[in-house]
Amino acid sequence: MKVMQTVSTANGLSLQASERPTPTPGPDEVLIRVRAAGVITDELNWQPTTQKADGSPRTNAVPTHEFSGDIAACGENIQSFTKGQAIYGMNDWYQEGALAEFTVAPATSIALRPKSLSYEQAATVPIGALTAWQALTDHGHLQPQQRVLIHGGAGGVGFFAVQFAKLLGAYVIATASRDTVPFVEGLGADQVLDYRATPFDQHLHDIDLVFDTVGGDTLARSWNVLRSGGRVVTVADDIPDDAPQKIKDAFFIVQPDGKKLAEIASLLDKGTLRTFVKAVVPLQDAEQIYNHSIPSAQRYGKIVVAVNP
Ligand SMILES: NC(=O)c1ccc[n+]([C@@H]2O[C@H](COP(=O)([O-])OP(=O)(O)OC[C@H]3O[C@@H](n4cnc5c(N)ncnc54)[C@H](OP(=O)(O)O)[C@@H]3O)[C@@H](O)[C@H]2O)c1
């Protein structure tokens, strides 16, 4: 099968086309013919791209761990899915990913693809939506009427967070770049701040929860706007080893959840939740996404790789 895999260059990691044997699913896994893969553009900088789970070096990783596609084969214990079903989902960062004609995932990490979405649209959902949901609920404990500040409201995680926070009954404030402010307002945010023009910590206070998808200085300043007892949750993965403990405690990594993806599919099919494709790129051009040279007229949504269109 065709894959795109990482290679080391003088300028860091790059992608190259390669051929590999089609993988075999384990007893509790399914083999997926990948139709489309969603991309987190800084994934090549993540630790699991260059290290195995035991800390030893990892080379030639196949990136992207969210996808839509068709089940090509089922492991011997699988009863919940059958060959030929259209699905969407994610797999583990340490597994080989979805920039490949086939990938493997645990059956508990996938769900049937939302019927109303194309494969390309469906591939934008799993990681962004699960990350946003887990941030607001499992980690942020957001309650109706509470005030939540979402940093990066137009991004692949942020646009789900804004919508989920509204569905949870919160008062939603988001930060976004000037061009994407109308988009985030259209998602239902009660207030949207242009992050370059309006320093959020000079305008906001008594926030119950900050959900940060940006990191750095934005994350560091987020504690200034909390009410007493308020919380910060972050997923931005640029936290240095010597960061203060409160920053380390605020960070989490999304967990696969096929049951929740089935509920999210239902919200998408009802039109209660929406997703957005920023651009679609063929597999052989995937490198351009990571080096940020994809021309895109649109500033919001998620970039998708068309693998087996
Ligand atoms: N820990 C986890 O489990 C997990 C899961 C998923 C993602 N992540 C991480 O979460 C981060 C976001 O992912 P994503 O897919 O949402 O990225 P994305 O689609 O690139 O979105 C980032 C958004 O943040 C906006 N932004 C940039 N600087 C900002 C600032 N100072 N204030 C407010 N907004 C700002 C960008 O706007 P403009 O481009 O218009 O300026 C963009 O809309 C990435 O670092 C990713 O690696 C972690």
Side-chain angles (χ1 to χ4, degrees):
M1 67 171 183
K2 288 194 190 80
V3 305
M4 294 296 283
Q5 65 184 22
T6 58
V7 281
S8 287
T9 71
N11 298 322
L13 284 186
S14 175
L15 288 185
Q16 71 172 20
S18 186
E19 287 284 336
R20 290 194 190 180
T22 301
T24 304
D28 298 309
E29 293 178 327
V30 294
L31 176 69
I32 296 144
R33 181 172 185 266
V34 179
R35 300 288 294 263
V39 177
I40 295 171
T41 54
D42 57 2
E43 185 192 331
L44 300 194
N45 303 326
W46 289 10
Q47 181 247 334
T49 308
T50 53
Q51 282 183 25
K52 296 180 183 170
D54 65 6
S56 61
R58 181 181 184 188
T59 53
N60 300 143
V62 177
T64 105
H65 298 274
E66 65 183 331
F67 45 75
S68 64
D70 304 311
I71 294 187
C74 292
E76 62 197 49
N77 295 341
I78 304 299
Q79 295 183 340
S80 44
F81 294 99
T82 55
K83 187 174 169 184
Q85 285 180 313
I87 58 85
Y88 76 146
M90 60 181 287
N91 68 3
D92 191 84
W93 315 115
Y94 293 106
Q95 284 187 280
E96 298 300 13
L99 289 190
E101 288 181 288
F102 293 89
T103 196
V104 158
T108 50
S109 300
I110 65 168
L112 294 179
R113 189 195 70 184
K115 291 184 180 56
S116 59
L117 300 193
S118 66
Y119 285 101
E120 289 162 356
Q121 290 170 317
T124 63
V125 176
I127 289 181
L130 287 176
T131 303
W133 180 258
Q134 291 168 15
L136 298 174
T137 59
D138 302 345
H139 300 274
H141 310 294
L142 185 64
Q143 301 299 316
Q145 317 304 329
Q146 285 192 329
R147 285 156 52 86
V148 60
L149 169 62
I150 296 165
H151 287 309
V157 176
F159 70 70
F160 282 114
V162 170
Q163 295 178 85
F164 282 139
K166 284 306 294 178
L167 289 173
L168 289 165
Y171 182 88
V172 180
I173 308 163
T175 56
S177 57
R178 187 182 63 185
D179 290 351
T180 59
V181 167
F183 165 70
V184 182
E185 287 171 342
L187 297 173
D190 297 286
Q191 244 181 292
V192 186
L193 306 182
D194 167 355
Y195 70 79
R196 290 191 181 89
T198 311
F200 67 91
D201 48 345
Q202 290 179 20
H203 289 78
L204 301 174
H205 52 85
D206 289 332
I207 299 292
D208 296 283
L209 172 66
V210 178
F211 174 35
D212 163 61
T213 73
V214 173
D217 178 57
T218 300
L219 171 60
R221 286 157 47 217
S222 291
W223 275 267
N224 302 342
V225 301
L226 292 180
R227 68 159 167 82
S228 170
R231 285 175 301 282
V232 176
V233 173
T234 183
V235 290
D237 79 322
D238 60 354
I239 296 170
D241 287 344
D242 59 354
Q245 193 59 40
K246 70 176 182 183
I247 290 188
K248 292 180 178 170
D249 291 344
F251 178 75
F252 81 98
I253 294 177
V254 61
Q255 296 301 308
D257 185 344
K259 283 191 182 144
K260 192 71 209 174
L261 282 178
E263 292 174 26
I264 288 169
S266 168
L267 292 176
L268 289 158
D269 283 336
K270 283 186 205 143
T272 310
L273 186 70
R274 291 182 295 157
T275 192
F276 303 90
V277 177
K278 186 189 256 179
V280 179
V281 176
L283 182 62
Q284 66 270 18
D285 295 339
E287 163 70 16
Q288 293 176 33
I289 306 174
Y290 296 96
N291 64 26
H292 303 281
S293 59
I294 290 288
S296 174
Q298 191 170 285
R299 289 287 299 275
Y300 56 85
K302 188 142 185 165
I303 301 178
V304 171
V305 176
V307 180
N308 287 298

